[in-house]
Amino acid sequence: MQLTKSIEMKKVKNLIRKGIFFIIVGLLSQVPLFGIKGLLGMTMLSIAYVSGYEFVLMYFVAMGLSFNVPLVILSVGIYVLLELTNLLHLLKSFLVPIVVSLLIGIYVNLMYFDFSIAGISESLLILLSQYMLQTINLELTNFFVHTHARKVTKREYTLLLSLLIVALMNVVPYNANLVLTLVYAIILYSAYSLSLTSASYLGLFSLFLFIFMQLGSVYDLVTMMFPMIVFNVYKPKNKFIFAFLFILSNAWIPFLSIETLKIQAIKIGIATLIFLIVPAIKNSALEARLSTSAQLENDRGKMKRKVLEFSELFNKITSSFQIETTPT
């Protein structure tokens, strides 16, 4: 019975993680980068290729939702080239993001830019950003592929939150302040639930993303990063004190103009409220409750120890019946 439940839970986890992958690719493919829609979705091509054919199929279906036919055709060409290189035993794992990023950079330069200094510089920037994101996303391969009893690492949580921040860029045309507020809440939550390192990474990631998207102001950037300095000095365990320090670290807001003061104060207040509402679940407790496979492995270990104890006892009993002959 326990084994059946473990197999069912494994299938459910596998289905959920594939669904998460499909949703991520679909949302990223809708976000424009440098005015080109679908480029951010292509950052998931390397992880799709490494993870298997099912993920490749979901990648192409999700990318098709961007209705950017040239990028879909480019993805097919890159995938075919990777497969041919792999059949010739010339492809190594570290070469996958390099090949993908290089071909994307060449395509962007030929289709959207010219061979001027400005065009080549922007194409190189896209190439480097693609390589960086392709390499970082590859670290999520274990999260999507392995569905057995394993703890999701803090780095994997951090990378998933970074993809969530990118997906939020879809809301920018409708309400940019809402996006900034949600990013505040995500960074604050990661600082409390994960680590200051994760929060700092998400803050810097958001900083570069905002620069590319031309989103936010200097005050928004300071609001994201300055609390990390305060938390580094003193990181309380209590969630309410943590939220109070976040508000206290933004006490410089009253020195701004009246219009900026109102907007910034509202964004910080709503972000703090979201942080307090969302429950902080410890990873270890969560895994202990959800991992039926871990319980099954524990039962197997107990059974194995009992079998070994019985085997030792049986050997002792049989050896006691052996007749020892003495020399005449």
Side-chain angles (χ1 to χ4, degrees), residues 166-191:
V166 177
L168 288 175
M169 296 301 111
N170 287 294
V171 190
V172 171
Y174 307 101
N175 194 326
N177 287 325
L178 176 61
V179 174
L180 292 169
T181 302
L182 293 176
V183 171
Y184 293 166
I186 291 173
I187 294 175
L188 181 60
Y189 187 83
S190 63

PDB file of all heavy atoms in Angstrom, residues 166-191:
ATOM      1  N   VAL A 166      10.895  37.439 -13.782  1.00  0.00           N
ATOM      2  CA  VAL A 166      10.877  37.699 -15.222  1.00  0.00           C
ATOM      3  C   VAL A 166       9.453  37.567 -15.764  1.00  0.00           C
ATOM      4  O   VAL A 166       9.000  38.366 -16.591  1.00  0.00           O
ATOM      5  CB  VAL A 166      11.822  36.736 -15.962  1.00  0.00           C
ATOM      6  CG1 VAL A 166      11.752  36.963 -17.464  1.00  0.00           C
ATOM      7  CG2 VAL A 166      13.255  36.919 -15.477  1.00  0.00           C
ATOM      8  N   ALA A 167       8.727  36.541 -15.285  1.00  0.00           N
ATOM      9  CA  ALA A 167       7.351  36.346 -15.754  1.00  0.00           C
ATOM     10  C   ALA A 167       6.459  37.519 -15.377  1.00  0.00           C
ATOM     11  O   ALA A 167       5.509  37.843 -16.099  1.00  0.00           O
ATOM     12  CB  ALA A 167       6.790  35.049 -15.172  1.00  0.00           C
ATOM     13  N   LEU A 168       6.760  38.182 -14.252  1.00  0.00           N
ATOM     14  CA  LEU A 168       5.952  39.335 -13.829  1.00  0.00           C
ATOM     15  C   LEU A 168       6.082  40.516 -14.785  1.00  0.00           C
ATOM     16  O   LEU A 168       5.246  41.427 -14.759  1.00  0.00           O
ATOM     17  CB  LEU A 168       6.364  39.767 -12.418  1.00  0.00           C
ATOM     18  CG  LEU A 168       5.944  38.849 -11.266  1.00  0.00           C
ATOM     19  CD1 LEU A 168       6.537  39.341  -9.956  1.00  0.00           C
ATOM     20  CD2 LEU A 168       4.432  38.755 -11.166  1.00  0.00           C
ATOM     21  N   MET A 169       7.108  40.498 -15.623  1.00  0.00           N
ATOM     22  CA  MET A 169       7.275  41.596 -16.566  1.00  0.00           C
ATOM     23  C   MET A 169       6.129  41.665 -17.580  1.00  0.00           C
ATOM     24  O   MET A 169       5.951  42.674 -18.267  1.00  0.00           O
ATOM     25  CB  MET A 169       8.606  41.441 -17.324  1.00  0.00           C
ATOM     26  CG  MET A 169       9.851  41.547 -16.447  1.00  0.00           C
ATOM     27  SD  MET A 169       9.997  43.113 -15.574  1.00  0.00           S
ATOM     28  CE  MET A 169       9.710  42.580 -13.882  1.00  0.00           C
ATOM     29  N   ASN A 170       5.328  40.579 -17.663  1.00  0.00           N
ATOM     30  CA  ASN A 170       4.149  40.614 -18.533  1.00  0.00           C
ATOM     31  C   ASN A 170       3.117  41.628 -18.052  1.00  0.00           C
ATOM     32  O   ASN A 170       2.271  42.084 -18.829  1.00  0.00           O
ATOM     33  CB  ASN A 170       3.507  39.224 -18.599  1.00  0.00           C
ATOM     34  CG  ASN A 170       4.327  38.246 -19.423  1.00  0.00           C
ATOM     35  OD1 ASN A 170       4.467  38.409 -20.623  1.00  0.00           O
ATOM     36  ND2 ASN A 170       4.897  37.253 -18.772  1.00  0.00           N
ATOM     37  N   VAL A 171       3.169  41.970 -16.759  1.00  0.00           N
ATOM     38  CA  VAL A 171       2.175  42.882 -16.177  1.00  0.00           C
ATOM     39  C   VAL A 171       2.613  44.339 -16.309  1.00  0.00           C
ATOM     40  O   VAL A 171       1.813  45.241 -16.060  1.00  0.00           O
ATOM     41  CB  VAL A 171       1.930  42.511 -14.700  1.00  0.00           C
ATOM     42  CG1 VAL A 171       0.748  43.258 -14.115  1.00  0.00           C
ATOM     43  CG2 VAL A 171       1.704  41.011 -14.551  1.00  0.00           C
ATOM     44  N   VAL A 172       3.864  44.588 -16.698  1.00  0.00           N
ATOM     45  CA  VAL A 172       4.394  45.957 -16.766  1.00  0.00           C
ATOM     46  C   VAL A 172       3.548  46.877 -17.646  1.00  0.00           C
ATOM     47  O   VAL A 172       3.265  48.018 -17.252  1.00  0.00           O
ATOM     48  CB  VAL A 172       5.864  45.941 -17.237  1.00  0.00           C
ATOM     49  CG1 VAL A 172       6.361  47.351 -17.536  1.00  0.00           C
ATOM     50  CG2 VAL A 172       6.744  45.301 -16.177  1.00  0.00           C
ATOM     51  N   PRO A 173       3.102  46.446 -18.840  1.00  0.00           N
ATOM     52  CA  PRO A 173       2.298  47.365 -19.654  1.00  0.00           C
ATOM     53  C   PRO A 173       0.987  47.790 -18.996  1.00  0.00           C
ATOM     54  O   PRO A 173       0.423  48.832 -19.346  1.00  0.00           O
ATOM     55  CB  PRO A 173       2.029  46.556 -20.937  1.00  0.00           C
ATOM     56  CG  PRO A 173       3.127  45.559 -20.987  1.00  0.00           C
ATOM     57  CD  PRO A 173       3.395  45.198 -19.564  1.00  0.00           C
ATOM     58  N   TYR A 174       0.506  47.000 -18.050  1.00  0.00           N
ATOM     59  CA  TYR A 174      -0.764  47.306 -17.410  1.00  0.00           C
ATOM     60  C   TYR A 174      -0.577  48.094 -16.110  1.00  0.00           C
ATOM     61  O   TYR A 174      -1.310  49.061 -15.863  1.00  0.00           O
ATOM     62  CB  TYR A 174      -1.535  46.006 -17.131  1.00  0.00           C
ATOM     63  CG  TYR A 174      -1.699  45.149 -18.353  1.00  0.00           C
ATOM     64  CD1 TYR A 174      -0.868  44.037 -18.565  1.00  0.00           C
ATOM     65  CD2 TYR A 174      -2.664  45.434 -19.313  1.00  0.00           C
ATOM     66  CE1 TYR A 174      -1.012  43.249 -19.692  1.00  0.00           C
ATOM     67  CE2 TYR A 174      -2.816  44.650 -20.443  1.00  0.00           C
ATOM     68  CZ  TYR A 174      -1.983  43.553 -20.626  1.00  0.00           C
ATOM     69  OH  TYR A 174      -2.119  42.778 -21.750  1.00  0.00           O
ATOM     70  N   ASN A 175       0.393  47.682 -15.276  1.00  0.00           N
ATOM     71  CA  ASN A 175       0.616  48.372 -14.009  1.00  0.00           C
ATOM     72  C   ASN A 175       2.043  48.099 -13.552  1.00  0.00           C
ATOM     73  O   ASN A 175       2.335  47.054 -12.967  1.00  0.00           O
ATOM     74  CB  ASN A 175      -0.388  47.912 -12.954  1.00  0.00           C
ATOM     75  CG  ASN A 175      -0.430  48.827 -11.754  1.00  0.00           C
ATOM     76  OD1 ASN A 175       0.585  49.401 -11.358  1.00  0.00           O
ATOM     77  ND2 ASN A 175      -1.605  48.983 -11.162  1.00  0.00           N
ATOM     78  N   ALA A 176       2.938  49.043 -13.809  1.00  0.00           N
ATOM     79  CA  ALA A 176       4.345  48.861 -13.459  1.00  0.00           C
ATOM     80  C   ALA A 176       4.552  48.891 -11.948  1.00  0.00           C
ATOM     81  O   ALA A 176       5.402  48.166 -11.410  1.00  0.00           O
ATOM     82  CB  ALA A 176       5.194  49.946 -14.122  1.00  0.00           C
ATOM     83  N   ASN A 177       3.787  49.708 -11.236  1.00  0.00           N
ATOM     84  CA  ASN A 177       3.936  49.797  -9.784  1.00  0.00           C
ATOM     85  C   ASN A 177       3.557  48.491  -9.093  1.00  0.00           C
ATOM     86  O   ASN A 177       4.143  48.123  -8.076  1.00  0.00           O
ATOM     87  CB  ASN A 177       3.076  50.938  -9.232  1.00  0.00           C
ATOM     88  CG  ASN A 177       3.650  52.304  -9.559  1.00  0.00           C
ATOM     89  OD1 ASN A 177       4.869  52.484  -9.585  1.00  0.00           O
ATOM     90  ND2 ASN A 177       2.790  53.260  -9.837  1.00  0.00           N
ATOM     91  N   LEU A 178       2.589  47.780  -9.660  1.00  0.00           N
ATOM     92  CA  LEU A 178       2.212  46.478  -9.108  1.00  0.00           C
ATOM     93  C   LEU A 178       3.366  45.491  -9.234  1.00  0.00           C
ATOM     94  O   LEU A 178       3.647  44.720  -8.305  1.00  0.00           O
ATOM     95  CB  LEU A 178       0.972  45.946  -9.827  1.00  0.00           C
ATOM     96  CG  LEU A 178       0.513  44.540  -9.416  1.00  0.00           C
ATOM     97  CD1 LEU A 178       0.154  44.500  -7.942  1.00  0.00           C
ATOM     98  CD2 LEU A 178      -0.665  44.089 -10.279  1.00  0.00           C
ATOM     99  N   VAL A 179       4.054  45.509 -10.365  1.00  0.00           N
ATOM    100  CA  VAL A 179       5.203  44.628 -10.567  1.00  0.00           C
ATOM    101  C   VAL A 179       6.300  44.946  -9.557  1.00  0.00           C
ATOM    102  O   VAL A 179       6.881  44.043  -8.932  1.00  0.00           O
ATOM    103  CB  VAL A 179       5.735  44.770 -12.007  1.00  0.00           C
ATOM    104  CG1 VAL A 179       7.021  43.963 -12.187  1.00  0.00           C
ATOM    105  CG2 VAL A 179       4.688  44.309 -13.003  1.00  0.00           C
ATOM    106  N   LEU A 180       6.608  46.225  -9.374  1.00  0.00           N
ATOM    107  CA  LEU A 180       7.630  46.620  -8.412  1.00  0.00           C
ATOM    108  C   LEU A 180       7.250  46.185  -7.001  1.00  0.00           C
ATOM    109  O   LEU A 180       8.108  45.717  -6.227  1.00  0.00           O
ATOM    110  CB  LEU A 180       7.829  48.133  -8.468  1.00  0.00           C
ATOM    111  CG  LEU A 180       8.462  48.676  -9.759  1.00  0.00           C
ATOM    112  CD1 LEU A 180       8.358  50.193  -9.806  1.00  0.00           C
ATOM    113  CD2 LEU A 180       9.916  48.253  -9.872  1.00  0.00           C
ATOM    114  N   THR A 181       5.988  46.315  -6.658  1.00  0.00           N
ATOM    115  CA  THR A 181       5.526  45.903  -5.326  1.00  0.00           C
ATOM    116  C   THR A 181       5.714  44.409  -5.110  1.00  0.00           C
ATOM    117  O   THR A 181       6.192  43.965  -4.058  1.00  0.00           O
ATOM    118  CB  THR A 181       4.042  46.274  -5.146  1.00  0.00           C
ATOM    119  OG1 THR A 181       3.880  47.681  -5.332  1.00  0.00           O
ATOM    120  CG2 THR A 181       3.558  45.904  -3.758  1.00  0.00           C
ATOM    121  N   LEU A 182       5.352  43.592  -6.107  1.00  0.00           N
ATOM    122  CA  LEU A 182       5.501  42.142  -5.995  1.00  0.00           C
ATOM    123  C   LEU A 182       6.971  41.743  -5.932  1.00  0.00           C
ATOM    124  O   LEU A 182       7.337  40.804  -5.211  1.00  0.00           O
ATOM    125  CB  LEU A 182       4.817  41.458  -7.178  1.00  0.00           C
ATOM    126  CG  LEU A 182       3.287  41.583  -7.219  1.00  0.00           C
ATOM    127  CD1 LEU A 182       2.739  40.954  -8.489  1.00  0.00           C
ATOM    128  CD2 LEU A 182       2.654  40.945  -6.000  1.00  0.00           C
ATOM    129  N   VAL A 183       7.828  42.466  -6.653  1.00  0.00           N
ATOM    130  CA  VAL A 183       9.269  42.177  -6.598  1.00  0.00           C
ATOM    131  C   VAL A 183       9.808  42.491  -5.202  1.00  0.00           C
ATOM    132  O   VAL A 183      10.614  41.731  -4.644  1.00  0.00           O
ATOM    133  CB  VAL A 183      10.025  42.975  -7.673  1.00  0.00           C
ATOM    134  CG1 VAL A 183      11.534  42.841  -7.485  1.00  0.00           C
ATOM    135  CG2 VAL A 183       9.636  42.480  -9.059  1.00  0.00           C
ATOM    136  N   TYR A 184       9.376  43.603  -4.598  1.00  0.00           N
ATOM    137  CA  TYR A 184       9.757  43.903  -3.213  1.00  0.00           C
ATOM    138  C   TYR A 184       9.397  42.738  -2.293  1.00  0.00           C
ATOM    139  O   TYR A 184      10.201  42.299  -1.467  1.00  0.00           O
ATOM    140  CB  TYR A 184       9.038  45.153  -2.702  1.00  0.00           C
ATOM    141  CG  TYR A 184       9.428  46.454  -3.352  1.00  0.00           C
ATOM    142  CD1 TYR A 184       8.644  47.588  -3.178  1.00  0.00           C
ATOM    143  CD2 TYR A 184      10.564  46.566  -4.138  1.00  0.00           C
ATOM    144  CE1 TYR A 184       8.967  48.796  -3.766  1.00  0.00           C
ATOM    145  CE2 TYR A 184      10.900  47.761  -4.739  1.00  0.00           C
ATOM    146  CZ  TYR A 184      10.102  48.878  -4.553  1.00  0.00           C
ATOM    147  OH  TYR A 184      10.433  50.068  -5.139  1.00  0.00           O
ATOM    148  N   ALA A 185       8.145  42.255  -2.436  1.00  0.00           N
ATOM    149  CA  ALA A 185       7.666  41.184  -1.562  1.00  0.00           C
ATOM    150  C   ALA A 185       8.467  39.895  -1.767  1.00  0.00           C
ATOM    151  O   ALA A 185       8.789  39.194  -0.798  1.00  0.00           O
ATOM    152  CB  ALA A 185       6.172  40.935  -1.820  1.00  0.00           C
ATOM    153  N   ILE A 186       8.814  39.580  -3.020  1.00  0.00           N
ATOM    154  CA  ILE A 186       9.584  38.362  -3.305  1.00  0.00           C
ATOM    155  C   ILE A 186      10.977  38.442  -2.690  1.00  0.00           C
ATOM    156  O   ILE A 186      11.460  37.487  -2.066  1.00  0.00           O
ATOM    157  CB  ILE A 186       9.671  38.141  -4.823  1.00  0.00           C
ATOM    158  CG1 ILE A 186       8.291  37.766  -5.385  1.00  0.00           C
ATOM    159  CG2 ILE A 186      10.689  37.052  -5.166  1.00  0.00           C
ATOM    160  CD1 ILE A 186       8.245  37.700  -6.894  1.00  0.00           C
ATOM    161  N   ILE A 187      11.632  39.589  -2.838  1.00  0.00           N
ATOM    162  CA  ILE A 187      12.974  39.745  -2.279  1.00  0.00           C
ATOM    163  C   ILE A 187      12.925  39.697  -0.755  1.00  0.00           C
ATOM    164  O   ILE A 187      13.777  39.060  -0.107  1.00  0.00           O
ATOM    165  CB  ILE A 187      13.591  41.070  -2.770  1.00  0.00           C
ATOM    166  CG1 ILE A 187      13.809  41.016  -4.282  1.00  0.00           C
ATOM    167  CG2 ILE A 187      14.912  41.362  -2.053  1.00  0.00           C
ATOM    168  CD1 ILE A 187      14.305  42.311  -4.879  1.00  0.00           C
ATOM    169  N   LEU A 188      11.935  40.341  -0.158  1.00  0.00           N
ATOM    170  CA  LEU A 188      11.795  40.318   1.298  1.00  0.00           C
ATOM    171  C   LEU A 188      11.527  38.903   1.795  1.00  0.00           C
ATOM    172  O   LEU A 188      12.105  38.460   2.803  1.00  0.00           O
ATOM    173  CB  LEU A 188      10.659  41.257   1.710  1.00  0.00           C
ATOM    174  CG  LEU A 188      10.370  41.399   3.205  1.00  0.00           C
ATOM    175  CD1 LEU A 188      11.597  41.919   3.936  1.00  0.00           C
ATOM    176  CD2 LEU A 188       9.176  42.320   3.440  1.00  0.00           C
ATOM    177  N   TYR A 189      10.665  38.180   1.098  1.00  0.00           N
ATOM    178  CA  TYR A 189      10.351  36.809   1.499  1.00  0.00           C
ATOM    179  C   TYR A 189      11.565  35.889   1.365  1.00  0.00           C
ATOM    180  O   TYR A 189      11.804  35.037   2.224  1.00  0.00           O
ATOM    181  CB  TYR A 189       9.204  36.279   0.644  1.00  0.00           C
ATOM    182  CG  TYR A 189       8.686  34.932   1.092  1.00  0.00           C
ATOM    183  CD1 TYR A 189       7.763  34.841   2.124  1.00  0.00           C
ATOM    184  CD2 TYR A 189       9.120  33.764   0.492  1.00  0.00           C
ATOM    185  CE1 TYR A 189       7.288  33.613   2.548  1.00  0.00           C
ATOM    186  CE2 TYR A 189       8.661  32.531   0.905  1.00  0.00           C
ATOM    187  CZ  TYR A 189       7.733  32.463   1.937  1.00  0.00           C
ATOM    188  OH  TYR A 189       7.280  31.240   2.354  1.00  0.00           O
ATOM    189  N   SER A 190      12.341  36.054   0.293  1.00  0.00           N
ATOM    190  CA  SER A 190      13.530  35.215   0.111  1.00  0.00           C
ATOM    191  C   SER A 190      14.581  35.516   1.175  1.00  0.00           C
ATOM    192  O   SER A 190      15.285  34.608   1.618  1.00  0.00           O
ATOM    193  CB  SER A 190      14.117  35.432  -1.288  1.00  0.00           C
ATOM    194  OG  SER A 190      14.547  36.772  -1.445  1.00  0.00           O
ATOM    195  N   ALA A 191      14.691  36.778   1.600  1.00  0.00           N
ATOM    196  CA  ALA A 191      15.648  37.121   2.656  1.00  0.00           C
ATOM    197  C   ALA A 191      15.277  36.449   3.965  1.00  0.00           C
ATOM    198  O   ALA A 191      16.158  36.052   4.749  1.00  0.00           O
ATOM    199  CB  ALA A 191      15.710  38.636   2.840  1.00  0.00           C
TER     200      ALA A 191
END
